[in-house]
C-alpha cells in the first residue's frame, strides 16, 4: 500500500477549468489519492503550465477563456504526449466527436461524480505509463499528428481550428471545422450525405434530413468567393460532395 501511494505521488495532474468550485473539488479528491495537482483557469494558463512543468495527465474543460479546450488539446497533441480527459458541460455529440478527434483520450460529462473522475484518471495513467511501460501505444504514436492540412490555397490549422484561405484567416465553428477536416483529408473523394453525416455527427443518418445541406451551405458562405458558384466544395449531382483537387477544379 505504501509503495502504491508513493508511486501515485509521482503523478502530476493538471486541472484546467474556469470554474473555481470544480477545480477545488477535483483537487480535494485527487490529493486524497496522493496526486500532485496543478490548477489553471484558462486555456492559455494551462498551456503555460504544460510548457513549464512535467504533467502526467490533463483534465480539460472545453469552454475556457483565452484558449478554449479544443485549441488546447490540438496544441498538446502537436507538442506533447500525455493522456487528456475532457470534463465538460457541453455534452452534444459534435462536441464529443470534435474533442476525441483532436486527440482527447476520454470525455466526462458535467455534472460528474468525483469518484468516477478519479477512476478514469487511474485507468488512463495505467494505460499510458504502467501497462505500456512508456512505449508508444501503436507504431508511430510517439510522433505528433500534423498541425495543418494544405489543399491548394486552403490551409486548415488543427491547432487553432482555423481555416486560412490564400493566407487570410477564416473563423470556423466546430461543425464547419469537422466538415472541412473530412473533405481536406481526402481531396477529390466524393462523400455521400450519409457518409458526411455519420462521420461528422457520429449518429445514424435519416434519409429526409436536410442537416448536411444546411451545414454545407454555411461552410460555403465562408469558403467560397461566391457561394452560388462554388469552386472548392463541389456538388456531384446524385452522389454527394467533394473538395476539388488542386490543379483540377481549383481556380
Amino acid at each position: 500500500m505504501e509503495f502504491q501511494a508513493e508511486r501515485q505521488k509521482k503523478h502530476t495532474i493538471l486541472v484546467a477549468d474556469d470554474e473555481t468550485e470544480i477545480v477545488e473539488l477535483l483537487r480535494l479528491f485527487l490529493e486524497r489519492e496522493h496526486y500532485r495537482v496543478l490548477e489553471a483557469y484558462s486555456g492559455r494558463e494551462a498551456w503555460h503550465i504544460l510548457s513549464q512543468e512535467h504533467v502526467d495527465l490533463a483534465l480539460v474543460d472545453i469552454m475556457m477563456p483565452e484558449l478554449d479546450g479544443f485549441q488546447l488539446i490540438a496544441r498538446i497533441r502537436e507538442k506533447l504526449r500525455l493522456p487528456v480527459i475532457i470534463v465538460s458541460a457541453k455534452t452534444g455529440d459534435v462536441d464529443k466527436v470534435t474533442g476525441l478527434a483532436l486527440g482527447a483520450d476520454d470525455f466526462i460529462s458535467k455534472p460528474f461524480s468525483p469518484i468516477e473522475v478519479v477512476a478514469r484518471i487511474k485507468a488512463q495513467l495505467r494505460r499510458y505509463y504502467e501497462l505500456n511501460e512508456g512505449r508508444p501505444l501503436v507504431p508511430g504514436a510517439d510522433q505528433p499528428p500534423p498541425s495543418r492540412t494544405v489543399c491548394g490555397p486552403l490551409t486548415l490549422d488543427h491547432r487553432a481550428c482555423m481555416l486560412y484561405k490564400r493566407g487570410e484567416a477564416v473563423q470556423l465553428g466546430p461543425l464547419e471545422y469537422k466538415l472541412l477536416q473530412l473533405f481536406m483529408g481526402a481531396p477529390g473523394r466524393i462523400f455521400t450525405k450519409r457518409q458526411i453525416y455519420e462521420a461528422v455527427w457520429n449518429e445514424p443518418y435519416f434519409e429526409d434530413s436536410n442537416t448536411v445541406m444546411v451545414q454545407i451551405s454555411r461552410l460555403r458562405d465562408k469558403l467560397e468567393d461566391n457561394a452560388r458558384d462554388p469552386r472548392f466544395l463541389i456538388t456531384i449531382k446524385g452522389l454527394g460532395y467533394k473538395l476539388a483537387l488542386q490543379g483540377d477544379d481549383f481556380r
Side-chain angles (χ1 to χ4, degrees):
M1 293 293 293
E2 291 181 1
F3 172 75
Q4 180 68 20
E6 191 65 29
R7 181 171 60 186
Q8 287 183 355
K9 283 181 182 178
K10 297 178 182 178
H11 287 142
T12 298
I13 311 299
L14 171 64
V15 180
D17 197 304
D18 61 346
E19 296 185 56
T20 304
E21 297 82 0
I22 287 179
V23 175
E24 291 177 350
L25 176 64
L26 290 171
R27 170 185 278 281
L28 176 65
F29 276 81
L30 289 170
E31 288 184 341
R32 284 179 181 176
E33 296 293 324
H34 308 287
Y35 295 112
R36 175 177 177 241
V37 179
L38 301 176
E39 302 175 0
Y41 297 91
S42 72
R44 192 172 302 280
E45 183 182 3
W47 180 246
H48 176 75
I49 291 173
L50 287 163
S51 302
Q52 301 295 322
E53 298 264 2
H54 172 77
V55 175
D56 295 296
L57 181 144
L59 292 173
V60 175
D61 185 27
I62 293 176
M63 299 300 292
M64 292 189 293
E66 298 179 355
L67 194 72
D68 68 30
F70 292 145
Q71 294 169 320
L72 176 61
I73 292 168
R75 189 170 293 188
I76 289 172
R77 284 293 168 251
E78 183 183 8
K79 300 290 186 180
L80 303 170
R81 182 175 179 269
L82 74 159
V84 177
I85 300 176
I86 294 175
V87 182
S88 178
K90 290 177 68 66
T91 58
D93 288 339
V94 172
D95 300 302
K96 292 179 181 179
V97 170
T98 300
L100 295 172
L102 287 171
D105 298 279
D106 200 356
F107 193 110
I108 300 174
S109 301
K110 295 178 181 178
F112 56 80
S113 163
I115 296 174
E116 179 188 357
V117 175
V118 171
R120 295 208 194 186
I121 286 172
K122 289 180 178 179
Q124 289 296 333
L125 290 172
R126 184 168 60 249
R127 174 174 175 262
Y128 262 72
Y129 302 116
E130 294 179 24
L131 299 180
N132 193 51
E133 296 181 345
R135 294 189 298 271
L137 300 180
V138 295
D142 56 338
Q143 298 298 319
S147 61
R148 59 184 57 196
T149 301
V150 179
C151 292
L154 305 177
T155 298
L156 188 61
D157 187 329
H158 303 296
R159 183 175 60 184
C161 298
M162 179 80 74
L163 170 67
Y164 291 89
K165 175 184 171 185
R166 301 187 186 99
E168 294 186 7
V170 179
Q171 185 70 47
L172 298 173
L175 278 175
E176 294 161 351
Y177 170 79
K178 287 290 294 178
L179 273 172
L180 202 50
Q181 184 183 43
L182 177 69
F183 285 111
M184 290 181 66
R189 173 182 170 181
I190 299 172
F191 290 93
T192 66
K193 287 198 292 185
R194 177 184 296 276
Q195 289 171 330
I196 295 168
Y197 189 88
E198 292 181 352
V200 173
W201 281 265
N202 196 33
E203 58 185 44
Y205 173 74
F206 294 97
E207 204 65 44
D208 295 331
S209 173
N210 289 321
T211 304
V212 172
M213 294 175 60
V214 170
Q215 200 61 47
I216 289 286
S217 177
R218 290 176 178 170
L219 179 57
R220 278 176 171 160
D221 286 340
K222 295 185 176 182
L223 185 65
E224 305 288 350
D225 297 325
N226 179 359
R228 295 184 179 182
D229 184 22
R231 292 291 185 268
F232 297 105
L233 195 50
I234 308 299
T235 300
I236 307 300
K237 291 184 179 180
L239 294 176
Y241 304 90
K242 75 170 185 176
L243 185 72
L245 287 168
Q246 183 178 4
D248 176 12
D249 299 26
F250 277 143
R251 305 175 195 174

